[in-house]
Amino acid sequence: MIKSDRQRTTAIAALRGLSDAHWDAKELPSLVDNLVGYLSSIPARLRTSGSATEAVELVKSLASKLPPDLAKAANDRLQNLDVRTIAVGTVVERMIYDKERIAIEAGKPVEFRFANTDNMPHNFVIIQPGSLEEVGLKAEATAQDADARERNFVPKSDKILLASKLLNPGETQALSFDAPKEPGMYPYVCTYPGHWRRMFGVLVVVGNLDQYNSDPEGYLAANPLPIRDELLKSAGRNTEWKIEDLAGDLKALKSGRSYEVGKSLFAAASCVGCHKLGGEGKEFGPDLSKLDDKKMTAEYVLKSILQPSADIEDKYRARIFQMDSDAIITGMVIEENDKEVKVMVDPLAKGDPTVLAKDEIMGSKVSAVSTMPMGLLNKLTKEEILDLMAYVLARGDKKSPAFQGHDHGGHGDH
């Protein structure tokens, strides 16, 4: 709740009462970043208020649980809150940032604290309005170039304003940034292969941050900032769909669905990164065109998307490797011999697998968690979900009865 800027005061009060035994050490650095970021956004004259004091005390308490170098850095940052700090993190197993919208003031310096707590690599790239699709497609097109990893999978483009390193799980990076002088809706995105269609947010650059924070809707009504990137229009849309929300609509899959919408969503939701269908995609997960009819039911497909870890075939399970360097590597094993194991850390990436020397592996175990992220449908409307499911159930066949009777005018709430 603190990371997503919801009910922060109540959450801070609750966390202060948590005993040391219940803290997850992996979460502490990014939580400290978020709290210091919150404090830096408060005008100096208000930092002695009750809620701010509670936040300061929580930071001090959490810092005492960190390694000495990180603890010192956290306390130093508490002493210097003049430059606004903004913490940006990742959500485990979801392939999304923990913030979809960040507001900053035009022309003012800020510091982003980017932390990756997910199980796969991510970066953080701010780009010019209107360039999200262009940069995303270029990132995919150049992912296999010889210098791709050296440039952290960030494509060469004059549309890029700020780019982090490619952070592996558990890594963090501080990034200084002078906000653009021109107000607008600036996308930020992960350009690691296969991520850009899902992992993005909007940096709202405004002329007066205090006025915006006091009434965002009113401010934007008086100072319109057009959204020039189609994907950003879904930012903020986050429905935690459950099976019962959609089960009653499965009969609507029999006819009247949109083939074009279903096919486009199969790509946009990154399904093509792991599944083959209609001659497209990769086979890191089951080939959907070859699944037997017992599994190709509306109920099974819906459950598989909403609860990807509920039923995983053994050959598609990921493995977790503990290395002698203390690194934890999670991914799908695609090749193994007496000397090494080749692991695809992120099936959506088009790059080479990670090679692990067997004499450096301390231990391994099979993961109970699917490599398919949860929340794939969160940004979709109910009608879009039904179109996507119809496309999968029809095995990509445009002549399926499911697509008959569609007027091609689009569903009203797409």
Side-chain angles (χ1 to χ4, degrees):
M1 294 177 71
I2 288 174
K3 290 179 180 180
S4 60
D5 297 333
R6 294 185 295 115
Q7 302 293 328
R8 188 190 291 107
T9 300
T10 304
I12 288 173
L15 289 177
R16 286 201 67 199
L18 200 64
S19 70
D20 287 356
H22 296 297
W23 282 105
D24 182 350
K26 293 188 299 183
E27 291 289 345
L28 295 182
S30 61
L31 182 54
V32 167
D33 284 345
N34 275 273
L35 288 165
V36 175
Y38 159 59
L39 289 165
S40 71
S41 71
I42 301 175
R45 67 182 185 281
L46 300 179
R47 288 181 192 148
T48 56
S49 66
S51 59
T53 300
E54 287 264 304
V56 169
E57 292 305 314
L58 181 56
V59 170
K60 291 179 179 178
S61 173
L62 296 178
S64 68
K65 302 173 178 62
L66 294 173
D69 57 334
L70 294 181
K72 182 180 184 303
N75 286 309
D76 287 347
R77 289 169 58 214
L78 270 184
Q79 300 300 316
N80 181 21
L81 294 172
D82 294 337
V83 175
R84 187 183 173 204
T85 301
I86 300 170
V88 182
T90 59
V91 180
V92 177
E93 300 167 16
R94 296 289 294 274
M95 203 194 297
I96 57 175
Y97 295 112
D98 61 7
K99 292 178 176 63
E100 279 196 312
R101 178 178 290 244
I102 300 170
I104 61 176
E105 188 161 323
K108 293 290 184 68
V110 296
E111 180 185 79
F112 289 103
R113 301 280 301 187
F114 179 44
N116 182 18
T117 55
D118 195 10
N119 296 324
M120 60 180 67
H122 296 295
N123 61 23
F124 175 73
V125 181
I126 300 174
I127 58 180
Q128 290 282 5
S131 66
L132 181 53
E133 183 174 5
E134 175 189 332
V135 170
L137 290 174
K138 190 170 185 180
E140 288 185 345
T142 60
Q144 296 189 63
D145 290 357
D147 66 340
R149 186 164 293 277
E150 181 182 338
R151 53 180 167 78
N152 299 291
F153 292 96
V154 178
K156 298 174 183 177
S157 170
D158 59 1
K159 305 296 174 59
I160 292 172
L161 304 179
L162 178 73
S164 75
K165 298 177 183 177
L166 184 71
L167 298 191
N168 289 311
E171 292 184 334
T172 63
Q173 184 182 3
L175 300 158
S176 297
F177 182 62
D178 289 327
K181 296 180 180 179
E182 182 68 28
M185 298 289 198
Y186 292 75
Y188 54 88
V189 60
C190 177
T191 60
Y192 191 64
H195 290 196
W196 72 272
R197 287 184 176 88
R198 175 170 173 78
M199 194 166 181
F200 59 84
V202 57
L203 186 67
V204 184
V205 180
V206 297
N208 189 308
L209 187 59
D210 289 338
Q211 290 180 11
Y212 173 86
N213 285 336
S214 64
D215 181 12
E217 291 186 7
Y219 182 90
L220 292 179
N223 306 272
L225 298 177
I227 296 177
R228 296 174 53 193
D229 297 271
E230 190 65 27
L231 276 178
L232 291 190
K233 294 178 181 179
S234 68
R237 184 200 295 173
N238 186 38
T239 304
E240 296 282 351
W241 292 105
K242 297 178 175 60
I243 291 177
E244 53 267 31
D245 297 332
L246 300 161
D249 296 277
L250 297 184
K251 59 182 179 295
L253 295 171
K254 295 181 179 179
S255 65
R257 307 317 313 171
S258 169
Y259 171 84
E260 289 77 12
V261 171
K263 183 178 181 180
S264 67
L265 289 173
F266 191 76
S270 299
C271 306
V272 294
C274 295
H275 298 284
K276 277 191 174 182
L277 186 63
E280 298 181 2
K282 295 188 290 186
E283 200 174 346
F284 284 108
D287 184 335
L288 300 182
S289 64
K290 296 179 180 178
L291 282 183
D292 62 57
D293 292 339
K294 291 181 180 179
K295 288 193 173 183
M296 285 298 272
T297 66
E299 292 78 8
Y300 183 83
V301 169
L302 179 61
K303 183 178 180 179
S304 297
I305 298 174
L306 293 180
Q307 301 174 3
S309 297
D311 183 17
I312 311 172
E313 289 187 44
D314 287 343
K315 66 178 180 179
Y316 297 120
R317 288 187 180 275
R319 278 168 61 188
I320 303 170
F321 294 89
Q322 170 71 58
M323 309 303 293
D324 60 7
S325 64
D326 289 333
I328 302 293
I329 306 294
T330 302
M332 289 183 62
V333 175
I334 60 173
E335 189 179 330
E336 183 173 0
N337 57 42
D338 293 340
K339 294 185 177 181
E340 61 188 26
V341 181
K342 293 184 179 180
V343 178
M344 188 59 75
V345 174
D346 181 1
L348 295 179
K350 297 178 181 178
D352 294 330
T354 299
V355 179
L356 308 180
K358 281 198 168 181
D359 59 3
E360 297 177 0
I361 298 174
M362 302 296 291
S364 70
K365 64 179 180 178
V366 176
S367 174
V369 178
S370 172
T371 54
M372 176 176 169
M374 292 181 62
L376 286 174
L377 303 181
N378 287 24
K379 292 182 179 297
L380 305 186
T381 66
K382 181 179 290 187
E383 293 295 332
E384 288 171 332
I385 293 171
L386 296 176
D387 287 339
L388 173 60
M389 289 187 61
Y391 179 78
V392 172
L393 290 167
R395 303 179 194 268
D397 181 7
K398 191 174 185 178
K399 297 179 181 178
S400 167
F403 305 121
Q404 307 308 309
H406 176 60
D407 62 9
H408 302 284
H411 298 295
D413 61 351
H414 275 189

